[in-house]
Amino acid sequence: ETGVTQSPTHLIKTRGQQVTLRCSSQSGHNTVSWYQQALGQGPQFIFQYYREEENGRGNFPPRFSGLQFPNYSSELNVNALELDDSALYLCASSMGVRSETQYFGPGTRLLVL
Amino acid sequence: KNEVEQSPQNLTAQEGEFITINCSYSVGISALHWLQQHPGGGIVSLFLLSSGKKKHGRLIATINIQEKHSSLHITASHPRDSAVYICATSPLSGSARQLTFGSGTQLTVLP
């Protein structure tokens, strides 16, 4: 148990819809990173939030956006869903942006039809 | 841009065998992570390495900074070790701890 939770565990959407995925970090962890993991691949970095501000972004379009709240929870929003967005979405929390140790949640599996 | 490659992609072993998974990367890093991912999807951190060798139970991880290479060894493998093992690197610079991941090694240990 890492103390990081994600909801929902599974989700099915159709192309063009919007989705919000949620992550609850460990208490005191002010940094959260989001990753997308396609089937059979390693995770890809989407973005990181530190103290409620975006602090770095991977190669993902603007329709991927996020929010981080003072209560150590965060959201990943994806607009205009595409079939290729089907993946496991992982969040990971850490204490500070320079912290090497990240604690991963169990992930949300998104299927876009 | 850092490229992280793992080998083998798939590995099947008999219970009790010694297992080695390799990871190589292309640019300097501040640290390397070995992670374990079970079929449900959740990822557990096994090791965080910046130099040398670490051991935890039957697991051993080594890193050679000059050769940009790391290995994960499992001694006396057991069916419960069956999982995907992923290496990931942390960059030397940058404001975000943006991990770069390998594609993973699917390990199956047969009884």
Side-chain angles (χ1 to χ4, degrees):
Chain A
E1 289 293 326
T2 63
V4 180
T5 59
Q6 291 186 244
S7 62
T9 55
H10 296 82
L11 198 52
I12 300 175
K13 290 285 189 178
T14 56
R15 196 169 44 183
Q17 285 188 310
Q18 179 266 343
V19 68
T20 297
L21 310 181
R22 293 180 173 82
C23 172
S24 179
S25 302
Q26 282 196 21
S27 179
H29 282 192
N30 54 17
T31 304
V32 64
S33 301
W34 285 90
Y35 299 91
Q36 180 195 65
Q37 186 178 22
L39 198 61
Q41 303 293 319
Q44 298 285 322
F45 176 74
I46 303 174
F47 44 56
Q48 182 184 81
Y49 275 76
Y50 171 65
R51 292 185 175 177
E52 302 163 47
E53 297 285 335
E54 187 178 294
N55 185 50
R57 189 177 187 93
N59 190 26
F60 281 82
R63 60 188 185 85
F64 285 78
S65 63
L67 285 171
Q68 186 186 26
F69 304 103
N71 66 351
Y72 307 114
S73 67
S74 59
E75 291 180 354
L76 165 65
N77 298 289
V78 187
N79 293 322
L81 284 166
E82 301 177 359
L83 298 180
D84 285 349
D85 296 333
S86 295
L88 178 70
Y89 289 85
L90 296 157
C91 71
S93 72
S94 59
M95 179 74 75
V97 294
R98 304 299 292 177
S99 170
E100 294 289 2
T101 303
Q102 297 192 22
Y103 298 85
F104 286 84
T108 293
R109 196 165 295 278
L110 172 66
L111 177 62
V112 182
L113 300 176
Chain B
K1 182 187 170 190
N2 192 19
E3 302 287 341
V4 179
E5 294 192 0
Q6 286 186 236
S7 62
Q9 196 172 358
N10 292 283
L11 181 56
T12 301
Q14 290 295 133
E15 183 174 356
E17 284 186 5
F18 180 83
I19 287 162
T20 296
I21 299 171
N22 296 298
C23 176
S24 61
Y25 51 93
S26 58
V27 303
I29 62 171
S30 64
L32 185 140
H33 306 249
W34 279 104
L35 308 165
Q36 181 190 56
Q37 186 171 33
H38 281 279
I43 291 178
V44 174
S45 180
L46 298 175
F47 293 104
L48 177 60
L49 291 163
S50 55
S51 65
K53 176 180 173 179
K54 287 189 177 179
K55 184 176 189 292
H56 184 246
R58 296 179 294 104
L59 302 179
I60 303 166
T62 64
I63 188 168
N64 185 317
I65 297 294
Q66 286 72 32
E67 294 187 4
K68 296 185 175 62
H69 180 270
S70 176
S71 293
L72 176 68
H73 306 284
I74 304 175
T75 61
S77 59
H78 191 275
R80 66 174 173 266
D81 297 327
S82 299
V84 176
Y85 292 83
I86 304 172
C87 69
T89 61
S90 291
L92 279 172
S93 61
S95 60
R97 280 305 185 194
Q98 178 177 337
L99 297 182
T100 301
F101 294 80
S103 57
T105 295
Q106 173 69 62
L107 172 65
T108 304
V109 182
L110 302 173

